[in-house]
Amino acid sequence: MTKNYLEIPEELYNKLSDYAENDQLSIRLENQQILLENPKINHTNKQNLALHYFIVPSLASGIIALLIFLSTNHPQIAFTGSRHLSVASLSIILSTLFGFFGFIWTYLRKSCDLSKSKFKIFRETLTLSVAYTSISFAVQIIFWYIIGKTFSGVTFDPFTAGFLVLVFVGIIFYFLISAALSITLPNLILLLFTTFIGGILVSMATNNQKDWWQHNFSFLGTGEATQHWQFNITLIFSALILLTITDFLFAEFSKSSLYNYKFKIIRVFYILIAFLIAFVGIFPAQSWTMPIHNNSAFGLVAVVLIMIIFLKWLVPTISKEFLALSWTALIALILSAVAFMGIHYLSLTVFEIIAFAIAFTWLVMFINSLRGIIQEGNEWQVKLLQK
């Protein structure tokens, strides 16, 4: 009888033995990947888990909506619109409320790392729940705006309207629960981009009539701007998400043999950058807060410049391509500063946008590079044998 073997390095064997149950491992194929797991661990399918979690809140939202619609004594309920309570308005309100607390409960139950402090767990959970719920809220606003234009004047009886609320809340709740069950570093990076870029664009759009660009980029967060809280909250939450990404990245890095004091320095840099981004939002560019705002903004760029200059020393194994890209970013930052302060070619607004865009993009790309180094350190060569 032919026996098949898998020859693996001793280092990999020692790591796998920590996961084995009586020297047994289960193996499965998923998304073109081979996964080795402890056979005793109950790997509940995430899709089924999300379905299980979303049924009760969906039914509860449908019942609540029905009771509210019946209490209005209106024979017909609008699909969209604000004249009376509509399917759209209740769907948005209930999905946001149920989704927010459902995300918190699911994330704490499924993804909480017991090695983290209670403060980090609280900060991480609250940040992610608010961020994901806010994104779902924004998507719903856009969706119902389109639906309102498409199905203008459509109404339903209270029972049908209540059922529709149940369906729409269920859809949003399902995706929020699925997101809470699938928090990974790439997803967090995408969340950071979505939150930051989306919030900044909304702030720009709402202040278009005030010609904010004639002042400076920071004008969006001052009291003179329309709904300035959007700009400031965007920066604060972006900083919190960056802190969460830093926790995820270096928690994974700390398990690697590559982890040393240089990576601890990088971690401190990222924490400092997150605080500086938050300070830009907490202290708007006005009155007594102006010095703190300006120093935080310039400090952010300065820290990025320091990281780029010492990049080769901090991470000797960094790729030549990323090193070249980093020096290109450094030169671009210096040239933009000269164009603004030296020859006055760039306006303050353009300089701020360029500097912040380069710094922010480089920080995210550096995270991806560090993640790639971690993955390279967790790769081994194996051989298939047959006897």
Side-chain angles (χ1 to χ4, degrees), residues 28-320:
R28 62 189 176 93
L29 299 176
E30 182 178 304
N31 298 327
Q32 297 182 339
Q33 293 180 330
I34 299 174
L35 303 177
L36 284 169
E37 300 171 323
N38 186 328
K40 297 297 183 180
I41 296 178
N42 182 22
H43 292 282
T44 307
N45 184 276
K46 290 182 178 179
Q47 185 177 13
N48 292 336
L49 198 57
L51 285 170
H52 173 72
Y53 286 166
F54 100 113
I55 289 175
V56 174
S58 300
L59 290 174
S61 65
I63 294 171
I64 292 172
L66 176 60
L67 293 176
I68 292 175
F69 290 148
L70 290 174
S71 67
T72 61
N73 294 321
H74 289 288
Q76 292 294 110
I77 305 298
F79 195 27
T80 61
S82 57
R83 183 179 178 183
H84 304 295
L85 282 177
S86 63
V87 172
S89 59
L90 269 188
S91 295
I92 293 173
I93 293 171
L94 292 175
S95 63
T96 301
L97 289 175
F98 279 114
F100 176 74
F101 292 106
F103 189 101
I104 291 177
W105 184 79
T106 307
Y107 185 76
L108 287 174
R109 181 183 176 90
K110 187 68 179 177
S111 306
C112 189
D113 187 350
L114 296 178
S115 64
K116 296 179 182 178
S117 66
K118 291 183 178 180
F119 174 75
K120 280 188 177 180
I121 292 172
F122 173 79
R123 187 201 71 210
E124 182 180 295
T125 305
L126 186 61
T127 299
L128 293 177
S129 59
V130 171
Y132 275 99
T133 306
S134 299
I135 290 174
S136 71
F137 179 82
V139 170
Q140 288 181 84
I141 294 294
I142 296 172
F143 170 79
W144 285 112
Y145 175 80
I146 296 173
I147 292 297
K149 295 295 183 181
T150 307
F151 299 99
S152 178
V154 173
T155 61
F156 301 97
D157 65 88
F159 290 94
T160 304
F163 176 75
L164 289 174
V165 170
L166 182 154
V167 171
F168 286 116
V169 171
I171 292 171
I172 297 299
F173 196 82
Y174 171 77
F175 281 107
L176 283 172
I177 295 304
S178 297
L181 293 169
S182 307
I183 296 294
T184 60
L185 192 56
N187 289 345
L188 290 176
I189 294 173
L190 179 61
L191 177 65
L192 177 61
F193 258 110
T194 304
T195 302
F196 183 78
I197 302 299
I200 295 298
L201 289 177
V202 169
S203 298
M204 290 180 177
T206 54
N207 285 278
N208 185 47
Q209 293 181 345
K210 290 199 172 187
D211 295 333
W212 64 269
W213 46 270
Q214 294 184 4
H215 301 270
N216 52 58
F217 189 57
S218 299
F219 173 83
L220 296 172
T222 64
E224 299 178 31
T226 303
Q227 297 180 337
H228 59 277
W229 62 269
Q230 293 177 347
F231 180 81
N232 296 327
I233 289 296
T234 294
L235 293 177
I236 295 170
F237 264 96
S238 295
L240 290 172
I241 295 172
L242 183 59
L243 280 177
T244 302
I245 290 174
T246 303
D247 290 341
F248 268 73
L249 177 66
F250 288 95
E252 188 177 354
F253 227 137
S254 62
K255 301 174 185 177
S256 171
S257 59
L258 301 173
Y259 192 66
N260 55 36
Y261 75 96
K262 293 182 180 180
F263 289 105
K264 292 180 181 180
I265 294 175
I266 296 174
R267 183 173 191 168
V268 171
F269 275 139
Y270 266 100
I271 293 173
L272 177 59
I273 287 170
F275 276 103
L276 289 172
I277 294 175
F279 285 167
V280 173
I282 294 172
F283 303 100
Q286 56 189 21
S287 64
W288 66 272
T289 61
M290 180 69 82
I292 303 176
H293 177 91
N294 289 340
N295 289 330
S296 298
F298 284 114
L300 169 63
V301 176
V303 172
V304 171
L305 290 175
I306 293 172
M307 291 177 70
I308 294 175
I309 292 171
F310 292 98
L311 181 60
K312 187 62 179 177
W313 176 78
L314 289 169
V315 190
T317 57
I318 200 74
S319 66
K320 293 180 179 179

Side-chain angles (χ1 to χ4, degrees), residues 7-18 380-382:
E7 186 178 84
I8 62 175
E10 184 176 355
E11 182 182 1
L12 177 58
Y13 173 81
N14 293 333
K15 287 184 177 294
L16 291 177
S17 62
D18 296 333
W380 294 271
Q381 296 297 319
V382 300

